[in-house]
Amino acid sequence: MVNCWVFSSKNRENIRVASERLVWGFWDKSSARKDKASKLVRNWRMFIRLYNRISQGDLAFFQVVGTGEIHALGVVKDKYYDDQTPIWDLELKKKKVLYPWRVSFYLIIYSEEPLTQHYVEIGNYVDGYGIGELAHHYAKRILSELEKRYHFTLNVSL
């Protein structure tokens, strides 16, 4: 069975870059700023538990934190750790990798305008890492809305 995930970002730009590169990254607790480090250390085990459950074929909904705006939908290809390629603006600015826990995608559908906007309950949301589980009934509702709005059909077994 396909798992559904919410990957959150503080801005739309990170989601756009992810769609161009077909990759998403999560913080490593050792690379966090001091003001963020305690939250990342405290939530590390929960993050790893979720990260390890991400599988090929899973769906990821990319949202901007606090807005309910979903700007992208992706199909997971693989996950891997310790990619040392800076990708996101903050990594390029600091000239170091901050998000080495990577997930690659077969496909990411991205829009500058929100594809949809939903405030839904995100199970096991891991604050600081921006990952949570999306219940299948919420995923079905979002996919149904996207199919109606954009006139396409997704063959996904949820």
Side-chain angles (χ1 to χ4, degrees):
M1 180 181 280
V2 171
N3 293 313
C4 298
W5 304 98
V6 172
F7 293 169
S8 298
S9 175
K10 64 181 179 178
N11 61 52
R12 188 183 66 224
E13 179 64 16
N14 289 339
I15 300 171
R16 184 191 61 74
V17 170
S19 73
E20 291 172 354
R21 299 286 197 119
L22 295 175
V23 68
W24 189 252
F26 295 100
W27 285 101
D28 186 75
K29 67 181 178 180
S30 64
S31 66
R33 297 184 325 247
K34 289 184 182 179
D35 59 329
K36 245 188 144 175
S38 64
K39 183 190 307 182
L40 293 178
V41 170
R42 184 175 59 247
N43 293 339
W44 178 250
R45 294 185 84 175
M46 192 178 345
F47 163 70
I48 290 298
R49 221 174 289 128
L50 289 182
Y51 181 82
N52 285 334
R53 288 186 43 225
I54 298 170
S55 298
Q56 184 178 42
D58 284 356
L59 292 180
F61 296 83
F62 297 82
Q63 74 166 3
V64 176
V65 173
T67 66
E69 293 179 353
I70 297 172
H71 283 273
L73 168 66
V75 179
V76 173
K77 180 178 181 183
D78 198 7
K79 64 182 180 221
Y80 52 98
Y81 169 66
D82 207 21
D83 185 330
Q84 291 302 308
T85 308
I87 294 175
W88 288 273
D89 290 346
L90 186 56
E91 291 180 325
L92 296 170
K93 180 179 171 184
K94 293 188 175 214
K95 296 182 178 161
K96 72 178 200 174
V97 173
L98 303 171
Y99 314 105
W101 294 84
R102 304 281 171 95
V103 177
S104 65
F105 292 86
Y106 288 113
L107 163 79
I108 296 178
I109 299 168
Y110 170 77
S111 174
E112 289 288 323
E113 296 299 316
L115 293 169
T116 187
Q117 185 168 3
H118 281 281
Y119 288 98
V120 297
E121 183 180 331
I122 302 171
N124 295 326
Y125 187 78
V126 183
D127 196 23
Y129 290 94
I131 184 176
E133 296 176 274
L134 187 62
H136 284 172
H137 66 278
Y138 287 131
K140 285 178 185 177
R141 188 172 88 194
I142 293 168
L143 290 172
S144 175
E145 183 178 319
L146 293 177
E147 287 174 349
K148 287 177 192 165
R149 180 183 283 180
Y150 297 105
H151 309 288
F152 67 87
T153 303
L154 289 173
N155 252 343
V156 179
S157 181
L158 296 179

